[in-house]
């Protein structure tokens, strides 16, 4: 039972150290140490404890860590603010050219301008796509 306490302390210490590193390596080793503590409680053999620790740690590093890193690095994938408006559809309220105009976008009326200086004015009622947001102006393109 004494080895179980050692494994437990090592596991907790590794998990606390993970907070400082943030690389998902020490947490995997800490979980492996907890498995080693469990093995000691069940078998009482230190060699089996070490084997369980090694297998659990390698398994976690190879199988779990890559999935966790992908999950945390990918983010939520949810766009917010003006990023959420890019690619959205809007309806022209007043004629839009390269200088000025207005569109109804996400329930609000926005000032707008066309994407290209050489494009024809876009008439009211036309559906457009928001290409970018420049300040408080929606840059739009007529849909084909």
């Amino acid at each position: 039972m004494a080895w179980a306490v050692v494994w437990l302390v090592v596991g907790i210490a590794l998990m606390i150290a993970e907070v400082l590193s943030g690389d998902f390596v020490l947490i995997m080793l800490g979980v492996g140490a907890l498995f080693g503590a469990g093995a000691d409680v069940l078998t009482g053999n230190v060699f089996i404890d070490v084997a369980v620790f090694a297998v659990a740690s390698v398994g976690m590093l190879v199988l779990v860590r890559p999935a966790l890193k992908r999950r945390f690095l990918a983010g939520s994938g949810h766009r917010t603010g003006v990023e959420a408006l890019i690619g959205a559809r809007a309806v022209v309220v007043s004629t839009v050219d390269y200088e000025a105009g207005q569109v109804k976008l996400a329930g609000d009326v926005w000032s707008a301008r066309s994407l290209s200086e050489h494009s024809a004015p876009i008439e009211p009622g036309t559906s457009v796509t928001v290409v970018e947001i420049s300040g408080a102006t929606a840059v739009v393109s007529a849909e084909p």
Side-chain angles (χ1 to χ4, degrees):
M1 190 64 136
W3 281 108
V5 174
V6 171
W7 283 112
L8 186 63
V9 169
V10 168
I12 292 172
L14 286 169
M15 289 180 185
I16 291 171
E18 176 65 37
V19 173
L20 299 174
S21 77
D23 200 32
F24 296 122
V25 173
L26 297 177
I27 193 81
M28 301 301 150
L29 297 176
V31 171
L34 294 180
F35 274 98
D40 187 64
V41 169
L42 294 175
T43 65
N45 186 335
V46 75
F47 297 111
I48 293 176
D49 304 347
V50 171
V52 167
F53 166 74
V55 169
S57 295
V58 170
M60 298 279 284
L61 286 169
V62 171
L63 301 174
V64 177
R65 182 175 179 265
L68 275 176
K69 284 195 70 136
R70 272 193 309 274
R71 173 84 169 147
F72 282 105
L73 292 177
S76 67
H78 184 71
R79 298 184 308 170
T80 60
V82 294
E83 289 180 4
L85 298 175
I86 296 174
R89 298 182 70 183
V91 176
V92 176
V93 175
S94 67
T95 303
V96 173
D97 57 19
Y98 191 69
E99 298 294 322
Q102 290 184 325
V103 295
K104 184 155 190 152
L105 171 62
D108 294 320
V109 177
W110 282 65
S111 59
R113 69 175 177 84
S114 63
L115 178 63
S116 173
E117 185 175 357
H118 304 292
S119 64
I122 306 168
E123 298 301 319
T126 306
S127 182
V128 293
T129 301
V130 177
V131 178
E132 72 177 88
I133 302 292
S134 178
T137 302
V139 179
V140 298
S141 173
E143 296 182 339

